[in-house]
Amino acid sequence: MVYISNLSDHEDQKVTLKGWIYNSRSSKNLFFLEVRDGSGICQCVVAKDSVSEEAWEAADSLRQESSLEITGIVVEDERSIGGYELQVTNLEVIQIAEDYPITPKEHGVDFLMENRHLWLRSQRQWAAMRVRNEIIYAIHMFFQERGFVQMDAPIFTGNAAEGTTNLFETAYFDEEAYLTQSGQLYGEAMAMAHGLIYTFGPTFRAEKSKTRRHLTEFWMIEPEMAFYDLNMNMELAEDFIKFVVNRVLERRHSELEILERDTEKLKKTVADDFPRISYTEAVETLRSDKMAKMLDQMVEDREQKREELKQEREELKKEHGQAKKWRKAQIDQRVKDIGGRLDQIEEDLRNIPDWRDSALNFEWGEDFGGSDETLLTMQYDTPVLVHRYPAEIKAFYMKRDPEDEKLALAVDMLAPEGYGEIIGGSEREADLETLRKRLTEHGLSEEVFGWYLDLRKYGSVPHSGFGLGLERTVAWLCGLDHVRETIPFPRMMGRLTP
Ligand code: 4AD
Ligand code: MG
């Protein structure tokens, strides 16, 4: 089989493609069919005098998403998507599609989510899934090349790893089970057997808030390393993210282009060392005069941008009257884009007072909210590592800072451009008696966690690990503003189908 992605190997040859109609236009004696085959899109030109009458009629009958086999000569054409064009000699219909619900016109997101099973075929969604796949591949490469063993943690569990507030409960014969929130506790057991391991699996949290960063079912990659302390953990997390971003930049250029991702920004994110700041320093930054000034500047910048865009829109509207048809279409598109940008600016301007309030009055001991994370990362081009959080707001298994018992040896990695926390990790408590105490403090039963305590009885060692949220990483690298487009079939509150 020949695939569109490999047409460059078949220049000037006759090939047959199998695929679906993505789009079509016609002029008097020509059809321009955009055919997609899963690997890409190719413009196929059907000239009335180059094909049989049957094939010509078939071309006329094709509606969006109809399936077909199409044969022709591969010709290089710079203007075509993908750089090649097919000069059609024959085509055969496999199925004429019924009226396809997702047309090139704009649809609301609810409608698209209802039709997620079809929406996946659209080009932007296609590109995002290709990037997701590249990220997954890069993750395995990174760990496998460094001698980590991939091991699977169970999905049914009796243990709550990340607090008891967002557990999904399910019946397990006559016992109560949970869907796992994290593979970590099992990862720790595996690391004591294999030294370096990583889990890669689905995790579940009953997130009752609807945000653009939260799914109820998401995929997490959790390396766990025996004999690693917090610093080694941070080092690994930084190398890991740099590796993944570089692979995506190297290999998914055209997908990032489809997504209109600003790759210069993305390149900058891996060009430098990631800053490491303590939670306490982060709090000082949020409360600083510098932050107040930055927020003032944000308002000013947005107000100025708003005026510029409004002016541009006025000028375009004036031009519209006399413009040629093609230019009118261009203007309409641009006016629509400007509308979107203006909505975003208005929303920001409405929100900035809350952001300011949250940042400048931030109290040591609270957890960062989404806007605090965004403001913290705005000062950097790269992700930032925030370490040593108040133990009170972190999980029971984290080791305390020997220098200050109030602090946990935790680390979060915050992505730039407002994508927030992508990694959470820590050094683990390795001492049996201390861990027992923590279980009690957190109201967790020693009975259920008995096996976990065993790890501290039989050759306990310092160890550390972290978890990367796959969907947030995809959102960041693709520049998507909501995690719902980062996974084939997203699960969120109120969304169980398709
Ligand atoms: O920070 P979290 O809760 O850490 C853990 O679960 C640790 N047990 C990991 C470890 O040390 N092995 O979650 C880790 C990451 C977050 O940084 C975020 O990227 C992602 O998982 N995440 C979510 N992604 C999408 N939807 C949600 N509801 C998420 N909750 C966490
Ligand atoms: Mg976290």
Side-chain angles (χ1 to χ4, degrees), residues 280-293 295 356-364 366 368 372 375-376:
T280 304
E281 287 166 333
V283 173
E284 281 162 10
T285 307
L286 284 174
R287 297 171 58 102
S288 66
D289 290 346
K290 204 174 128 201
M291 184 57 67
K293 286 207 188 89
L295 282 154
R356 168 189 283 276
D357 200 43
S358 170
L360 299 182
N361 301 312
F362 196 93
E363 298 274 357
W364 196 98
E366 294 171 19
F368 299 128
D372 304 318
L375 293 175
L376 281 172

PDB file of all heavy atoms in Angstrom, residues 280-293 295 356-364 366 368 372 375-376:
ATOM      1  N   THR A 280       8.725  28.858  49.285  1.00  0.00           N
ATOM      2  CA  THR A 280       8.776  30.106  50.046  1.00  0.00           C
ATOM      3  C   THR A 280       9.202  31.273  49.154  1.00  0.00           C
ATOM      4  O   THR A 280       8.619  32.365  49.212  1.00  0.00           O
ATOM      5  CB  THR A 280       9.727  29.947  51.249  1.00  0.00           C
ATOM      6  OG1 THR A 280       9.256  28.826  52.020  1.00  0.00           O
ATOM      7  CG2 THR A 280       9.759  31.177  52.122  1.00  0.00           C
ATOM      8  N   GLU A 281      10.198  31.025  48.285  1.00  0.00           N
ATOM      9  CA  GLU A 281      10.604  32.082  47.339  1.00  0.00           C
ATOM     10  C   GLU A 281       9.465  32.413  46.370  1.00  0.00           C
ATOM     11  O   GLU A 281       9.250  33.571  46.010  1.00  0.00           O
ATOM     12  CB  GLU A 281      11.834  31.635  46.537  1.00  0.00           C
ATOM     13  CG  GLU A 281      13.118  31.633  47.342  1.00  0.00           C
ATOM     14  CD  GLU A 281      14.256  30.880  46.657  1.00  0.00           C
ATOM     15  OE1 GLU A 281      14.001  29.946  45.855  1.00  0.00           O
ATOM     16  OE2 GLU A 281      15.417  31.222  46.938  1.00  0.00           O
ATOM     17  N   ALA A 282       8.748  31.378  45.957  1.00  0.00           N
ATOM     18  CA  ALA A 282       7.633  31.601  45.026  1.00  0.00           C
ATOM     19  C   ALA A 282       6.566  32.489  45.683  1.00  0.00           C
ATOM     20  O   ALA A 282       6.020  33.388  45.053  1.00  0.00           O
ATOM     21  CB  ALA A 282       7.035  30.259  44.598  1.00  0.00           C
ATOM     22  N   VAL A 283       6.307  32.220  46.961  1.00  0.00           N
ATOM     23  CA  VAL A 283       5.310  33.032  47.679  1.00  0.00           C
ATOM     24  C   VAL A 283       5.780  34.479  47.755  1.00  0.00           C
ATOM     25  O   VAL A 283       5.006  35.419  47.506  1.00  0.00           O
ATOM     26  CB  VAL A 283       5.061  32.464  49.095  1.00  0.00           C
ATOM     27  CG1 VAL A 283       4.173  33.400  49.907  1.00  0.00           C
ATOM     28  CG2 VAL A 283       4.434  31.072  48.998  1.00  0.00           C
ATOM     29  N   GLU A 284       7.072  34.671  48.049  1.00  0.00           N
ATOM     30  CA  GLU A 284       7.612  36.038  48.105  1.00  0.00           C
ATOM     31  C   GLU A 284       7.445  36.739  46.766  1.00  0.00           C
ATOM     32  O   GLU A 284       7.081  37.920  46.710  1.00  0.00           O
ATOM     33  CB  GLU A 284       9.094  36.012  48.511  1.00  0.00           C
ATOM     34  CG  GLU A 284       9.272  35.815  50.009  1.00  0.00           C
ATOM     35  CD  GLU A 284      10.674  35.346  50.386  1.00  0.00           C
ATOM     36  OE1 GLU A 284      11.570  35.361  49.512  1.00  0.00           O
ATOM     37  OE2 GLU A 284      10.856  34.952  51.554  1.00  0.00           O
ATOM     38  N   THR A 285       7.688  35.994  45.684  1.00  0.00           N
ATOM     39  CA  THR A 285       7.528  36.584  44.345  1.00  0.00           C
ATOM     40  C   THR A 285       6.086  37.022  44.111  1.00  0.00           C
ATOM     41  O   THR A 285       5.835  38.112  43.602  1.00  0.00           O
ATOM     42  CB  THR A 285       7.926  35.558  43.267  1.00  0.00           C
ATOM     43  OG1 THR A 285       9.221  35.070  43.581  1.00  0.00           O
ATOM     44  CG2 THR A 285       7.923  36.165  41.888  1.00  0.00           C
ATOM     45  N   LEU A 286       5.151  36.154  44.482  1.00  0.00           N
ATOM     46  CA  LEU A 286       3.742  36.489  44.254  1.00  0.00           C
ATOM     47  C   LEU A 286       3.346  37.763  44.992  1.00  0.00           C
ATOM     48  O   LEU A 286       2.565  38.568  44.492  1.00  0.00           O
ATOM     49  CB  LEU A 286       2.833  35.337  44.701  1.00  0.00           C
ATOM     50  CG  LEU A 286       2.767  34.123  43.786  1.00  0.00           C
ATOM     51  CD1 LEU A 286       1.940  33.013  44.437  1.00  0.00           C
ATOM     52  CD2 LEU A 286       2.181  34.481  42.422  1.00  0.00           C
ATOM     53  N   ARG A 287       3.900  37.928  46.196  1.00  0.00           N
ATOM     54  CA  ARG A 287       3.493  39.064  47.036  1.00  0.00           C
ATOM     55  C   ARG A 287       4.310  40.328  46.766  1.00  0.00           C
ATOM     56  O   ARG A 287       4.095  41.346  47.410  1.00  0.00           O
ATOM     57  CB  ARG A 287       3.657  38.678  48.514  1.00  0.00           C
ATOM     58  CG  ARG A 287       2.761  37.520  48.933  1.00  0.00           C
ATOM     59  CD  ARG A 287       3.126  37.057  50.333  1.00  0.00           C
ATOM     60  NE  ARG A 287       3.011  38.146  51.281  1.00  0.00           N
ATOM     61  CZ  ARG A 287       1.997  38.313  52.119  1.00  0.00           C
ATOM     62  NH1 ARG A 287       1.028  37.432  52.156  1.00  0.00           N
ATOM     63  NH2 ARG A 287       1.965  39.331  52.935  1.00  0.00           N
ATOM     64  N   SER A 288       5.244  40.258  45.812  1.00  0.00           N
ATOM     65  CA  SER A 288       6.227  41.335  45.658  1.00  0.00           C
ATOM     66  C   SER A 288       5.667  42.545  44.900  1.00  0.00           C
ATOM     67  O   SER A 288       4.681  42.459  44.168  1.00  0.00           O
ATOM     68  CB  SER A 288       7.447  40.808  44.913  1.00  0.00           C
ATOM     69  OG  SER A 288       7.077  40.481  43.588  1.00  0.00           O
ATOM     70  N   ASP A 289       6.371  43.667  45.051  1.00  0.00           N
ATOM     71  CA  ASP A 289       6.058  44.868  44.270  1.00  0.00           C
ATOM     72  C   ASP A 289       6.240  44.603  42.787  1.00  0.00           C
ATOM     73  O   ASP A 289       5.505  45.125  41.953  1.00  0.00           O
ATOM     74  CB  ASP A 289       7.013  46.011  44.661  1.00  0.00           C
ATOM     75  CG  ASP A 289       6.709  46.505  46.069  1.00  0.00           C
ATOM     76  OD1 ASP A 289       5.620  46.153  46.580  1.00  0.00           O
ATOM     77  OD2 ASP A 289       7.564  47.209  46.630  1.00  0.00           O
ATOM     78  N   LYS A 290       7.244  43.777  42.506  1.00  0.00           N
ATOM     79  CA  LYS A 290       7.519  43.459  41.113  1.00  0.00           C
ATOM     80  C   LYS A 290       6.285  42.800  40.476  1.00  0.00           C
ATOM     81  O   LYS A 290       5.917  43.093  39.338  1.00  0.00           O
ATOM     82  CB  LYS A 290       8.712  42.484  41.064  1.00  0.00           C
ATOM     83  CG  LYS A 290       9.451  42.505  39.753  1.00  0.00           C
ATOM     84  CD  LYS A 290      10.697  41.622  39.826  1.00  0.00           C
ATOM     85  CE  LYS A 290      10.688  40.668  38.666  1.00  0.00           C
ATOM     86  NZ  LYS A 290      11.511  39.484  38.870  1.00  0.00           N
ATOM     87  N   MET A 291       5.634  41.910  41.239  1.00  0.00           N
ATOM     88  CA  MET A 291       4.429  41.234  40.728  1.00  0.00           C
ATOM     89  C   MET A 291       3.321  42.268  40.503  1.00  0.00           C
ATOM     90  O   MET A 291       2.621  42.235  39.479  1.00  0.00           O
ATOM     91  CB  MET A 291       3.986  40.163  41.729  1.00  0.00           C
ATOM     92  CG  MET A 291       2.807  39.332  41.284  1.00  0.00           C
ATOM     93  SD  MET A 291       3.036  38.475  39.702  1.00  0.00           S
ATOM     94  CE  MET A 291       4.311  37.282  40.084  1.00  0.00           C
ATOM     95  N   ALA A 292       3.176  43.198  41.442  1.00  0.00           N
ATOM     96  CA  ALA A 292       2.141  44.230  41.292  1.00  0.00           C
ATOM     97  C   ALA A 292       2.387  45.015  40.013  1.00  0.00           C
ATOM     98  O   ALA A 292       1.457  45.285  39.241  1.00  0.00           O
ATOM     99  CB  ALA A 292       2.158  45.153  42.509  1.00  0.00           C
ATOM    100  N   LYS A 293       3.665  45.348  39.769  1.00  0.00           N
ATOM    101  CA  LYS A 293       3.997  46.111  38.556  1.00  0.00           C
ATOM    102  C   LYS A 293       3.715  45.294  37.302  1.00  0.00           C
ATOM    103  O   LYS A 293       3.207  45.804  36.313  1.00  0.00           O
ATOM    104  CB  LYS A 293       5.471  46.517  38.588  1.00  0.00           C
ATOM    105  CG  LYS A 293       5.743  47.640  39.567  1.00  0.00           C
ATOM    106  CD  LYS A 293       6.958  48.469  39.147  1.00  0.00           C
ATOM    107  CE  LYS A 293       7.351  49.464  40.227  1.00  0.00           C
ATOM    108  NZ  LYS A 293       8.307  48.894  41.208  1.00  0.00           N
ATOM    109  N   LEU A 295       1.531  43.006  36.914  1.00  0.00           N
ATOM    110  CA  LEU A 295       0.084  42.955  36.682  1.00  0.00           C
ATOM    111  C   LEU A 295      -0.425  44.268  36.072  1.00  0.00           C
ATOM    112  O   LEU A 295      -1.265  44.249  35.167  1.00  0.00           O
ATOM    113  CB  LEU A 295      -0.630  42.632  37.993  1.00  0.00           C
ATOM    114  CG  LEU A 295      -0.561  41.145  38.366  1.00  0.00           C
ATOM    115  CD1 LEU A 295      -0.688  40.942  39.861  1.00  0.00           C
ATOM    116  CD2 LEU A 295      -1.648  40.363  37.635  1.00  0.00           C
ATOM    117  N   ARG A 356      -4.696  39.336  40.707  1.00  0.00           N
ATOM    118  CA  ARG A 356      -3.918  40.250  41.538  1.00  0.00           C
ATOM    119  C   ARG A 356      -4.221  40.001  43.013  1.00  0.00           C
ATOM    120  O   ARG A 356      -3.324  39.878  43.847  1.00  0.00           O
ATOM    121  CB  ARG A 356      -4.289  41.690  41.157  1.00  0.00           C
ATOM    122  CG  ARG A 356      -3.782  42.751  42.125  1.00  0.00           C
ATOM    123  CD  ARG A 356      -4.395  44.100  41.780  1.00  0.00           C
ATOM    124  NE  ARG A 356      -3.755  44.693  40.618  1.00  0.00           N
ATOM    125  CZ  ARG A 356      -2.624  45.405  40.685  1.00  0.00           C
ATOM    126  NH1 ARG A 356      -2.037  45.624  41.837  1.00  0.00           N
ATOM    127  NH2 ARG A 356      -2.087  45.917  39.601  1.00  0.00           N
ATOM    128  N   ASP A 357      -5.510  39.887  43.292  1.00  0.00           N
ATOM    129  CA  ASP A 357      -5.941  39.665  44.659  1.00  0.00           C
ATOM    130  C   ASP A 357      -5.318  38.394  45.223  1.00  0.00           C
ATOM    131  O   ASP A 357      -4.772  38.372  46.320  1.00  0.00           O
ATOM    132  CB  ASP A 357      -7.471  39.541  44.640  1.00  0.00           C
ATOM    133  CG  ASP A 357      -8.049  39.793  45.995  1.00  0.00           C
ATOM    134  OD1 ASP A 357      -7.582  40.751  46.636  1.00  0.00           O
ATOM    135  OD2 ASP A 357      -8.936  39.019  46.417  1.00  0.00           O
ATOM    136  N   SER A 358      -5.396  37.316  44.435  1.00  0.00           N
ATOM    137  CA  SER A 358      -4.867  36.036  44.883  1.00  0.00           C
ATOM    138  C   SER A 358      -3.357  36.105  45.092  1.00  0.00           C
ATOM    139  O   SER A 358      -2.838  35.606  46.090  1.00  0.00           O
ATOM    140  CB  SER A 358      -5.236  34.955  43.864  1.00  0.00           C
ATOM    141  OG  SER A 358      -4.540  33.777  44.153  1.00  0.00           O
ATOM    142  N   ALA A 359      -2.653  36.740  44.163  1.00  0.00           N
ATOM    143  CA  ALA A 359      -1.186  36.769  44.241  1.00  0.00           C
ATOM    144  C   ALA A 359      -0.702  37.653  45.382  1.00  0.00           C
ATOM    145  O   ALA A 359       0.075  37.222  46.239  1.00  0.00           O
ATOM    146  CB  ALA A 359      -0.601  37.248  42.917  1.00  0.00           C
ATOM    147  N   LEU A 360      -1.181  38.901  45.419  1.00  0.00           N
ATOM    148  CA  LEU A 360      -0.608  39.860  46.373  1.00  0.00           C
ATOM    149  C   LEU A 360      -0.995  39.531  47.814  1.00  0.00           C
ATOM    150  O   LEU A 360      -0.289  39.894  48.749  1.00  0.00           O
ATOM    151  CB  LEU A 360      -1.014  41.283  46.000  1.00  0.00           C
ATOM    152  CG  LEU A 360      -0.525  41.739  44.615  1.00  0.00           C
ATOM    153  CD1 LEU A 360      -0.921  43.181  44.352  1.00  0.00           C
ATOM    154  CD2 LEU A 360       0.985  41.580  44.459  1.00  0.00           C
ATOM    155  N   ASN A 361      -2.120  38.833  47.999  1.00  0.00           N
ATOM    156  CA  ASN A 361      -2.525  38.454  49.370  1.00  0.00           C
ATOM    157  C   ASN A 361      -2.252  36.993  49.671  1.00  0.00           C
ATOM    158  O   ASN A 361      -2.843  36.416  50.573  1.00  0.00           O
ATOM    159  CB  ASN A 361      -4.013  38.737  49.554  1.00  0.00           C
ATOM    160  CG  ASN A 361      -4.324  40.193  49.321  1.00  0.00           C
ATOM    161  OD1 ASN A 361      -3.636  41.059  49.853  1.00  0.00           O
ATOM    162  ND2 ASN A 361      -5.318  40.465  48.500  1.00  0.00           N
ATOM    163  N   PHE A 362      -1.389  36.390  48.887  1.00  0.00           N
ATOM    164  CA  PHE A 362      -1.128  34.963  49.068  1.00  0.00           C
ATOM    165  C   PHE A 362      -0.509  34.709  50.444  1.00  0.00           C
ATOM    166  O   PHE A 362       0.442  35.365  50.842  1.00  0.00           O
ATOM    167  CB  PHE A 362      -0.176  34.475  47.971  1.00  0.00           C
ATOM    168  CG  PHE A 362      -0.148  32.979  47.854  1.00  0.00           C
ATOM    169  CD1 PHE A 362      -0.976  32.330  46.956  1.00  0.00           C
ATOM    170  CD2 PHE A 362       0.677  32.214  48.683  1.00  0.00           C
ATOM    171  CE1 PHE A 362      -0.975  30.947  46.865  1.00  0.00           C
ATOM    172  CE2 PHE A 362       0.674  30.836  48.601  1.00  0.00           C
ATOM    173  CZ  PHE A 362      -0.144  30.207  47.686  1.00  0.00           C
ATOM    174  N   GLU A 363      -1.081  33.726  51.152  1.00  0.00           N
ATOM    175  CA  GLU A 363      -0.568  33.408  52.490  1.00  0.00           C
ATOM    176  C   GLU A 363       0.303  32.169  52.417  1.00  0.00           C
ATOM    177  O   GLU A 363      -0.110  31.156  51.830  1.00  0.00           O
ATOM    178  CB  GLU A 363      -1.739  33.104  53.445  1.00  0.00           C
ATOM    179  CG  GLU A 363      -2.687  34.251  53.657  1.00  0.00           C
ATOM    180  CD  GLU A 363      -2.229  35.198  54.765  1.00  0.00           C
ATOM    181  OE1 GLU A 363      -1.176  34.897  55.400  1.00  0.00           O
ATOM    182  OE2 GLU A 363      -2.909  36.214  54.977  1.00  0.00           O
ATOM    183  N   TRP A 364       1.450  32.217  53.048  1.00  0.00           N
ATOM    184  CA  TRP A 364       2.321  31.048  53.136  1.00  0.00           C
ATOM    185  C   TRP A 364       1.507  29.883  53.716  1.00  0.00           C
ATOM    186  O   TRP A 364       0.823  30.055  54.730  1.00  0.00           O
ATOM    187  CB  TRP A 364       3.513  31.342  54.037  1.00  0.00           C
ATOM    188  CG  TRP A 364       4.625  30.344  53.875  1.00  0.00           C
ATOM    189  CD1 TRP A 364       5.748  30.493  53.122  1.00  0.00           C
ATOM    190  CD2 TRP A 364       4.725  29.044  54.491  1.00  0.00           C
ATOM    191  NE1 TRP A 364       6.524  29.372  53.201  1.00  0.00           N
ATOM    192  CE2 TRP A 364       5.930  28.459  54.038  1.00  0.00           C
ATOM    193  CE3 TRP A 364       3.911  28.311  55.355  1.00  0.00           C
ATOM    194  CZ2 TRP A 364       6.352  27.190  54.420  1.00  0.00           C
ATOM    195  CZ3 TRP A 364       4.327  27.036  55.730  1.00  0.00           C
ATOM    196  CH2 TRP A 364       5.541  26.488  55.270  1.00  0.00           C
ATOM    197  N   GLU A 366      -0.786  28.119  51.809  1.00  0.00           N
ATOM    198  CA  GLU A 366      -1.843  27.792  50.843  1.00  0.00           C
ATOM    199  C   GLU A 366      -1.227  27.068  49.647  1.00  0.00           C
ATOM    200  O   GLU A 366      -0.028  27.129  49.414  1.00  0.00           O
ATOM    201  CB  GLU A 366      -2.489  29.081  50.299  1.00  0.00           C
ATOM    202  CG  GLU A 366      -3.260  29.903  51.294  1.00  0.00           C
ATOM    203  CD  GLU A 366      -3.654  31.269  50.691  1.00  0.00           C
ATOM    204  OE1 GLU A 366      -3.652  31.404  49.454  1.00  0.00           O
ATOM    205  OE2 GLU A 366      -3.932  32.179  51.481  1.00  0.00           O
ATOM    206  N   PHE A 368      -0.978  26.779  45.502  1.00  0.00           N
ATOM    207  CA  PHE A 368      -1.110  27.724  44.389  1.00  0.00           C
ATOM    208  C   PHE A 368      -2.346  27.406  43.571  1.00  0.00           C
ATOM    209  O   PHE A 368      -2.638  26.247  43.279  1.00  0.00           O
ATOM    210  CB  PHE A 368       0.113  27.661  43.471  1.00  0.00           C
ATOM    211  CG  PHE A 368       1.404  28.008  44.155  1.00  0.00           C
ATOM    212  CD1 PHE A 368       2.501  27.163  44.068  1.00  0.00           C
ATOM    213  CD2 PHE A 368       1.520  29.178  44.890  1.00  0.00           C
ATOM    214  CE1 PHE A 368       3.689  27.475  44.702  1.00  0.00           C
ATOM    215  CE2 PHE A 368       2.709  29.504  45.540  1.00  0.00           C
ATOM    216  CZ  PHE A 368       3.799  28.641  45.446  1.00  0.00           C
ATOM    217  N   ASP A 372      -2.055  31.767  40.064  1.00  0.00           N
ATOM    218  CA  ASP A 372      -0.753  31.954  40.727  1.00  0.00           C
ATOM    219  C   ASP A 372       0.347  31.257  39.930  1.00  0.00           C
ATOM    220  O   ASP A 372       1.428  31.810  39.725  1.00  0.00           O
ATOM    221  CB  ASP A 372      -0.781  31.369  42.147  1.00  0.00           C
ATOM    222  CG  ASP A 372      -1.906  31.954  42.979  1.00  0.00           C
ATOM    223  OD1 ASP A 372      -2.129  33.167  42.900  1.00  0.00           O
ATOM    224  OD2 ASP A 372      -2.568  31.171  43.693  1.00  0.00           O
ATOM    225  N   LEU A 375       1.147  33.264  36.814  1.00  0.00           N
ATOM    226  CA  LEU A 375       1.940  34.467  37.101  1.00  0.00           C
ATOM    227  C   LEU A 375       3.384  34.105  37.437  1.00  0.00           C
ATOM    228  O   LEU A 375       4.316  34.776  37.004  1.00  0.00           O
ATOM    229  CB  LEU A 375       1.303  35.260  38.246  1.00  0.00           C
ATOM    230  CG  LEU A 375      -0.057  35.884  37.921  1.00  0.00           C
ATOM    231  CD1 LEU A 375      -0.653  36.545  39.166  1.00  0.00           C
ATOM    232  CD2 LEU A 375       0.064  36.909  36.791  1.00  0.00           C
ATOM    233  N   LEU A 376       3.559  33.018  38.194  1.00  0.00           N
ATOM    234  CA  LEU A 376       4.915  32.610  38.558  1.00  0.00           C
ATOM    235  C   LEU A 376       5.736  32.256  37.324  1.00  0.00           C
ATOM    236  O   LEU A 376       6.920  32.571  37.245  1.00  0.00           O
ATOM    237  CB  LEU A 376       4.869  31.389  39.487  1.00  0.00           C
ATOM    238  CG  LEU A 376       4.554  31.662  40.947  1.00  0.00           C
ATOM    239  CD1 LEU A 376       4.351  30.353  41.691  1.00  0.00           C
ATOM    240  CD2 LEU A 376       5.682  32.473  41.583  1.00  0.00           C
TER     241      LEU A 376
END
